[in-house]
Amino acid sequence: MTFIYQLSLSKSSIKSFRRYFNPQKLRDVRYEKLPFCMRVLLESTIRKCDGFYIKTDDVSSILDWQKQQNQAEVAFSPARVLLQDFTGIPAMVDLAAMRDALAKQGVDPNLVNPRCPTDLIVDHSLQIDYSKCSSSGSHCSGQRPGHRGGCSKVSCSDAPSGRSAAVQIENTPLLCPFHLQPVSEPETMIRNQEMELIRNKERLQFFKWCSKAFKNINVVPPDINTVHQLNLEYLCQVVQEGEGFIYPDSVVGTDSHTTMINGLGILGWGVGGIESEAVMLGQPVSLTLPQVVGCKLVGTISPLATSIDIVLGITKHLRQAGIGGKFVEFFGPGVQQLSAPDRTTIANMCPEYNATVSFFPVDDITLQHFKHTSTDHTLVVLEDYLKAIKLFRSYSDQSEEPQYSEVIEMNLSSIVPHVSGPKRPQDRVAVTCMKEDFINCLNEKVGFKGFHISKEKQATQVPFLHEGAEYNLAHGSVVIAAVISCTNNCNPSVMLAAGLLAKKAIEAGLKVKPYIRTSLVPGSGIVTHYLNTSGVLPYLRKLGFEVVGYGCATCVGNTAPLPESVVDAIKQGDLVACGVLSGNRHLEGRLCDCVRANYLASPPLVVAYAIAGTVSINLETEPLGVNSEGKDVYLRDIWPSKEEVNHTEENIVIASMFKELRSRMEKGSSFWNSLESAESALFPWDPKSTYIRCPSFFNKLVKACTPQSIEGAYPLLFLGDKVTTDHISPAGSIARVSAAAKYLQSKRLTPREFNSYGARRGNDAVMTRGTFASIKLQNRLIGKTGPRTLHIPSGQTLDVFEAAERYQRDGVPLIILAGKEYGSGSSRDWAAKGPYLMGVRAVIAESFEKIHRNHLVGMGIAPLQFLSGQNADSLELCGKERFTINIPQELIPRQQLVVQTSTGKSFSVMALFENDMDVAFFRHGGILKYVARSLLP
């Protein structure tokens, strides 16, 4: 039976036809009972069915989803791949290295190209070198290497023309990072961008070479937009067109926010850098047919609740429901109350409750959103096509209700404003209970929430001087307040609410203390545009929340250092200082080593807590501050109403702003356009480069491969629960006493030139040395925190890298022992590549985060799980034994393997290879070698 049909555009006078595959022509009643996300999978499977990678059995399995969920394996070919530069650069370095390896075998290197359309967005290299300073002062005119010119103060008027302001907005000076002298506010973004381009020139030249050398890849230069915003505002199509057909858009991406796209009815989820490379090279994604949980939204949203409150409420609800590894699809009358930006914000958080995707089918609200970004003709194609294949959702028609694995109901009227913290995003705290909860955290023992501060020290206040004025810090004092690009900036309502609150705060005479490190890093220029056009940006600036650039900054640890007087005061009082940010992820020590408590909050609450200067406050009953007349000002006095926000949003978020973004995208940056790069098919590796280095993954590449058992392995580390990818492969700054720092110093770099681990992901020497370099790593082999371990044969305590290097010299294989949720956190391919290059052959843990498990398999490292009810403690393992793991030649998915120790004990573990493709990747030593061998003659 043929599935190819032509779509006639009945709603347009333009005579146009589109060919498409129509699953309805299967005439199978099960199709209309499938969840909408499963229908997208089915269409792709039908269209890509080739009898090899994707078979007719895959089509049958999806149709029979109700019986096959959690059992059948299917292959899925997404429409495109999305990369950000932190994970994109190692992927492209690997492809460049593969070209070299195949060229040495006599294979044409030009055969190595992405086969799936790929977008690489350079947005993770921004660091906040310039930030606000509330004092004026003389201008900076000194010179330093890499510092362009003097930092002169210039005056500007921030208030839009034609608008009156109750308070005169004046320029806020900034500190030059080299001379600690003020720089004018309008220069902030320009100066940060200049520093970004200077320190990352090598990486950018490599990306420029990639854009010319590889086919089927689109590289977006820095300072244009963040990856998730570009995905939402520019790259997404809902309906794609290629090879003469139209078909549903879908995407896999290495950015942790890839799932945002599901809010627009586009199926997409996050994968590791290693998996993304396989998809780029034509390999489908293999997945077990998931359970699909229907989340029914009912009730009416409270006017005080923002989309972030809704997100965190749903996150907690679904986390408690235990939906790990499942798809979630939203339906019910409450869905219609959510705008498209609300939906993308909700969809963004699905990794936090361990779902694979959170899907909102396309409906009238989605179409209304795309009227800002698409032509009328495109919208006609989109609507007619989706209705033709039953992918358009109508909530008024109850007959369209799909069948779900289970249904969870969420009453939106029950949601009240919350924050999350102080260490984990799942630990939600009602704003009204914040003060009480923080005091409890001080009392509790050190753990996921506690800090164990004795009661006699909880009232400690430390006076300090800042810019000639005296201030006091106490437990709970806010020292970092960041409205960042991660979650909120796709949603104008919460950003406008922050701006309107800032406006009312200024008009009420409130201020933010000058020592608080405040910043505003929008997801794109469109955010700056509507904040400025609406007249609220000057008020945010007045409070210190000024635009410092575009990209991921505070969220990945790229915060500028706190003033020394603040750091000294925190250390003197052993204070639990706080950071408040509007992202979706916070881990202890990520923002700054001396800031132990970090809270996620909506943008208006970030501004509110910055004004209050502390999180130890009940915002309902205690004032934020006192105005010039000595009158108390409460949050309720300045909180903007939902009507105010909606009115401003409707008048600001218009099609012209999206058109401006598209114009900026098409024009590009002058720096990028003038950047020189090589024109060759093979990349000219520079042996002196400390950013780009040819990795050793393809050394001794041969056609044949045989899996080997692991004999006499020592544990490199003995870890506990919740070991995150930040612990395994940090993305922030490079500590001066680390193994990576020693390597860079040997290359004659100064600490100022170290940059971050994220920026140096194209250098395997740096990244291997950075593996397990977190100061928060808790290793049971040494009994204390830090990037150290026990070299068991010698009994010496060494840096983790140094110990691994010594084991490798002696030809000793390594394993890692761990507890629950090993590899949780952001997707990070070097969290698997680093251990692989250290000589780690297997990780034995109680459980694994799914993406990291995939990464381990993709690098040829065996993810082995203790059997139910067992762990290292119950088996009485001390971590100093030698381990032998017998791996059979006929390895099968989820096979139990026997582990023998040098003390005579033996136990079984489950090999977490989920399908035959996983086994094939492991046999070949990882995905990269699997793909490279497929190109060998």
Side-chain angles (χ1 to χ4, degrees):
M1 177 183 291
T2 179
F3 302 100
I4 302 175
Y5 289 83
Q6 286 191 330
L7 177 71
S8 174
L9 302 186
S10 58
K11 296 184 180 180
S12 174
S13 60
I14 303 173
K15 293 183 178 180
S16 179
F17 296 90
R18 298 292 192 276
R19 296 199 304 164
Y20 65 99
F21 287 80
N22 192 347
Q24 283 203 99
K25 299 306 177 181
L26 291 167
R27 305 190 187 283
D28 193 313
V29 295
R30 293 175 295 179
Y31 176 69
E32 294 190 19
K33 292 299 180 182
L34 288 176
F36 282 74
C37 54
M38 288 295 102
R39 299 180 198 183
V40 176
L41 281 180
L42 180 63
E43 187 281 337
S44 174
T45 306
I46 293 172
R47 178 167 39 85
K48 290 289 187 176
C49 186
D50 59 2
F52 180 65
Y53 287 122
I54 301 178
K55 303 175 182 179
T56 55
D57 287 346
D58 293 325
V59 175
S60 299
S61 294
I62 296 175
L63 278 171
D64 200 26
W65 166 78
Q66 280 287 353
K67 296 180 180 178
Q68 295 294 330
Q69 54 185 298
N70 274 352
Q71 298 181 37
E73 291 289 326
V74 297
F76 170 58
S77 291
R80 54 192 175 90
V81 175
L82 185 70
L83 305 174
Q84 43 94 337
D85 56 313
F86 268 19
T87 49
I89 196 165
M92 300 313 299
V93 166
D94 290 345
L95 294 190
M98 188 185 296
R99 280 193 168 192
D100 278 10
L102 291 173
K104 292 175 182 177
Q105 300 280 347
V107 178
D108 181 3
N110 288 303
L111 293 177
V112 179
N113 284 297
R115 296 179 184 175
C116 182
T118 301
D119 296 288
L120 193 160
I121 291 84
V122 185
D123 76 325
H124 273 52
S125 55
L126 177 68
Q127 294 188 33
I128 304 175
D129 293 291
Y130 297 84
S131 183
K132 67 95 183 179
C133 169
S134 64
S135 69
S136 57
S138 60
H139 69 275
C140 170
S141 58
Q143 299 291 325
R144 280 287 295 268
H147 178 42
R148 297 184 58 184
C151 306
S152 61
K153 179 180 179 181
V154 296
S155 60
C156 70
S157 175
D158 291 316
S161 60
R163 295 184 182 274
S164 60
V167 179
Q168 180 63 37
I169 304 298
E170 299 176 352
N171 178 57
T172 305
L174 311 159
L175 287 182
C176 164
F178 294 105
H179 308 98
L180 301 181
Q181 295 293 329
V183 182
S184 61
E185 182 177 38
E187 293 184 69
T188 310
M189 184 174 66
I190 296 172
R191 293 296 189 185
N192 279 315
Q193 290 174 350
E194 286 179 346
M195 291 297 295
E196 176 186 10
L197 299 176
I198 289 169
R199 67 163 54 96
N200 292 292
K201 186 175 180 181
E202 281 185 54
R203 299 170 66 245
L204 297 178
Q205 285 178 320
F206 174 72
F207 284 136
K208 188 69 174 284
W209 172 80
C210 291
S211 69
K212 295 187 293 185
F214 292 105
K215 298 177 181 177
N216 219 18
I217 187 164
N218 170 44
V219 178
V220 179
D223 300 323
I224 297 294
N225 214 324
T226 57
V227 57
H228 35 289
Q229 290 301 114
L230 263 173
N231 196 23
L232 291 171
E233 297 170 7
Y234 185 77
L235 300 174
C236 70
Q237 300 296 318
V238 180
V239 175
Q240 292 277 3
E241 186 167 2
E243 300 179 351
F245 292 92
I246 56 174
Y247 49 89
D249 191 6
S250 57
V251 61
V252 292
T254 59
D255 182 68
S256 60
H257 306 286
T258 302
T259 53
M260 294 180 84
I261 205 66
N262 292 281
L264 298 179
I266 298 169
L267 187 63
W269 62 85
V271 296
I274 303 164
E275 291 173 295
S276 68
E277 292 174 51
V279 176
M280 290 164 62
L281 293 170
Q283 307 293 315
V285 176
S286 181
L287 75 154
T288 304
L289 275 179
Q291 290 182 286
V292 181
V293 177
C295 185
K296 186 175 184 179
L297 301 182
V298 299
T300 303
I301 299 173
S302 164
L304 290 179
T306 68
S307 61
I308 305 306
D309 299 315
I310 298 169
V311 166
L312 296 178
I314 292 175
T315 297
K316 182 178 181 180
H317 198 69
L318 294 180
R319 183 183 286 276
Q320 292 174 341
I323 58 168
K326 301 176 184 179
F327 282 20
V328 176
E329 186 167 292
F330 291 88
F331 74 106
V335 175
Q336 294 175 292
Q337 298 178 57
L338 304 176
S339 67
D342 287 335
R343 298 175 186 191
T344 58
T345 308
I346 293 168
N348 178 65
M349 287 295 275
C350 76
E352 300 302 333
Y353 44 82
N354 295 322
T356 304
V357 301
S358 291
F359 192 76
F360 288 83
V362 175
D363 61 5
D364 288 326
I365 292 175
T366 316
L367 290 182
Q368 185 67 31
H369 171 77
F370 278 101
K371 286 183 179 180
H372 297 308
T373 62
S374 305
T375 65
D376 291 340
H377 179 67
T378 302
L379 286 173
V380 170
V381 174
L382 189 157
E383 184 175 359
D384 282 1
Y385 167 65
L386 293 180
K387 288 182 175 179
I389 64 170
K390 293 288 185 178
L391 277 178
F392 190 86
R393 190 70 159 96
S394 173
Y395 293 101
S396 60
D397 188 351
Q398 295 298 317
S399 66
E400 286 194 2
E401 294 295 330
Q403 293 179 351
Y404 296 107
S405 306
E406 60 178 304
V407 173
I408 298 173
E409 187 170 294
M410 179 75 185
N411 192 329
L412 297 177
S413 61
S414 66
I415 295 174
V416 295
H418 281 77
V419 298
S420 288
K423 300 182 181 183
R424 303 186 304 174
Q426 64 263 38
D427 296 324
R428 299 176 66 236
V429 184
V431 172
T432 54
C433 301
M434 182 65 166
K435 184 174 183 177
E436 178 184 355
D437 186 82
F438 182 74
I439 294 173
N440 289 337
C441 289
L442 294 181
N443 290 324
E444 288 184 20
K445 293 182 179 180
V446 174
F448 294 137
K449 290 198 67 170
F451 298 102
H452 201 216
I453 305 297
S454 61
K455 288 191 179 294
E456 60 269 18
K457 293 184 178 181
Q458 289 181 15
T460 298
Q461 290 199 11
V462 181
F464 68 99
L465 290 176
H466 180 75
E467 298 174 353
E470 183 172 313
Y471 300 92
N472 288 303
L473 284 184
H475 293 292
S477 290
V478 174
V479 294
I480 296 176
V483 177
I484 60 177
S485 62
C486 286
T487 305
N488 310 289
N489 300 311
C490 66
N491 193 325
S493 65
V494 289
M495 295 298 290
L496 289 170
L500 290 169
L501 186 143
K503 179 177 183 294
K504 291 188 171 189
I506 293 294
E507 292 171 344
L510 300 179
K511 299 179 180 179
V512 172
K513 294 180 176 63
Y515 60 81
I516 297 177
R517 182 70 70 190
T518 51
S519 60
L520 169 60
V521 185
S524 70
I526 192 172
V527 181
T528 306
H529 180 87
Y530 67 65
L531 289 177
N532 190 53
T533 305
S534 63
V536 299
L537 187 59
Y539 298 95
L540 284 165
R541 285 174 172 165
K542 184 67 175 178
L543 290 180
F545 293 93
E546 59 185 72
V547 177
V548 298
Y550 301 97
C552 287
T554 305
C555 51
V556 292
N558 290 347
T559 304
L562 296 175
E564 288 187 14
S565 58
V566 173
V567 175
D568 291 342
I570 293 172
K571 292 181 178 178
Q572 178 184 337
D574 190 27
L575 299 177
V576 180
C578 299
V580 187
L581 62 153
S582 61
N584 78 327
R585 195 175 295 278
H586 61 339
L587 298 165
E588 186 178 8
R590 176 183 263 198
L591 300 189
C592 181
D593 289 346
C594 62
V595 180
R596 286 189 274 172
N598 299 300
Y599 288 90
L600 302 182
S602 65
L605 283 177
V606 171
V607 177
Y609 279 113
I611 294 170
T614 180
V615 300
S616 186
I617 182 175
N618 186 324
L619 292 178
E620 189 175 60
T621 61
E622 297 181 64
L624 287 178
V626 179
N627 63 16
S628 58
E629 299 174 354
K631 181 182 177 182
D632 288 340
V633 180
Y634 292 83
L635 179 62
R636 59 179 175 269
D637 298 328
I638 62 173
W639 187 269
S641 68
K642 189 173 182 180
E643 289 73 24
E644 288 178 274
V645 175
N646 287 342
H647 175 77
T648 307
E649 182 178 8
E650 289 170 4
N651 286 276
I652 301 304
V653 184
I654 55 176
S656 62
M657 289 185 286
F658 289 93
K659 290 179 181 178
E660 181 179 334
L661 171 64
R662 299 186 76 89
S663 173
R664 189 179 179 199
M665 270 292 304
E666 291 162 4
K667 185 188 300 183
S669 71
S670 57
F671 177 89
W672 177 263
N673 295 336
S674 62
L675 190 64
E676 295 182 356
S677 63
E679 301 285 345
S680 56
L682 298 177
F683 183 69
W685 307 98
D686 181 359
K688 296 180 181 179
S689 174
T690 57
Y691 278 101
I692 309 295
R693 202 175 98 127
C694 186
S696 57
F697 301 131
F698 300 100
N699 288 358
K700 301 178 181 179
L701 181 67
V702 294
K703 187 75 173 176
C705 64
T706 305
Q708 301 291 327
S709 292
I710 302 170
E711 298 183 359
Y714 274 118
L716 177 63
L717 296 161
F718 189 4
L719 306 172
D721 297 339
K722 301 274 187 182
V723 175
T724 71
T725 50
D726 271 341
H727 291 115
I728 304 170
S729 184
S733 59
I734 298 173
R736 297 188 180 194
V737 296
S738 64
K742 294 174 186 176
Y743 168 81
L744 293 172
Q745 287 170 338
S746 73
K747 300 295 182 180
R748 299 185 177 181
L749 296 184
T750 65
R752 185 177 292 279
E753 297 170 307
F754 285 175
N755 211 326
S756 65
Y757 283 112
R760 293 192 181 273
R761 284 186 179 180
N763 186 319
D764 63 315
V766 172
M767 296 308 297
T768 306
R769 286 165 172 80
T771 303
F772 298 111
S774 170
I775 61 172
K776 299 297 182 181
L777 186 71
Q778 294 184 335
N779 180 11
R780 294 174 62 177
L781 288 178
I782 60 172
K784 59 182 180 180
T785 300
R788 308 270 286 173
T789 194
L790 178 68
H791 181 255
I792 298 170
S794 67
Q796 291 180 287
T797 298
L798 306 172
D799 286 342
V800 176
F801 172 78
E802 185 179 351
E805 195 174 37
R806 188 177 295 186
Y807 280 123
Q808 284 190 302
R809 282 201 306 266
D810 296 337
V812 178
L814 298 171
I815 65 168
I816 291 171
L817 297 175
K820 299 174 183 176
E821 297 184 42
Y822 180 79
S824 57
S826 300
S827 167
R828 199 160 291 166
D829 58 345
W830 270 107
K833 288 180 176 179
Y836 171 82
L837 292 177
M838 281 182 161
V840 174
R841 296 284 309 281
V843 178
I844 306 177
E846 290 183 67
S847 63
F848 293 82
E849 194 277 334
K850 183 178 180 181
I851 292 180
H852 186 65
R853 182 210 68 86
N854 293 341
H855 270 178
L856 294 174
V857 174
M859 285 310 302
I861 297 175
L864 308 177
Q865 182 172 296
F866 289 110
L867 299 185
S868 178
Q870 294 184 349
N871 56 34
D873 292 331
S874 69
L875 294 169
E876 298 182 345
L877 301 177
C878 69
K880 297 179 182 179
E881 305 92 339
R882 300 193 75 167
F883 294 77
T884 295
I885 305 168
N886 297 312
I887 299 178
Q889 294 295 313
E890 300 300 324
L891 184 65
I892 61 174
R894 300 191 71 82
Q895 184 172 353
Q896 287 193 16
L897 305 179
V898 175
V899 181
Q900 296 176 321
T901 72
S902 56
T903 60
K905 293 180 182 178
S906 66
F907 58 93
S908 295
V909 293
M910 179 75 71
L912 296 184
F913 303 117
E914 299 296 337
N915 49 58
D916 292 337
M917 189 65 75
D918 277 357
V919 173
F921 290 157
F922 177 72
R923 285 185 178 279
H924 281 266
I927 292 175
L928 296 174
K929 290 182 180 178
Y930 175 86
V931 173
R933 287 192 176 103
S934 70
L935 296 174
L936 290 176

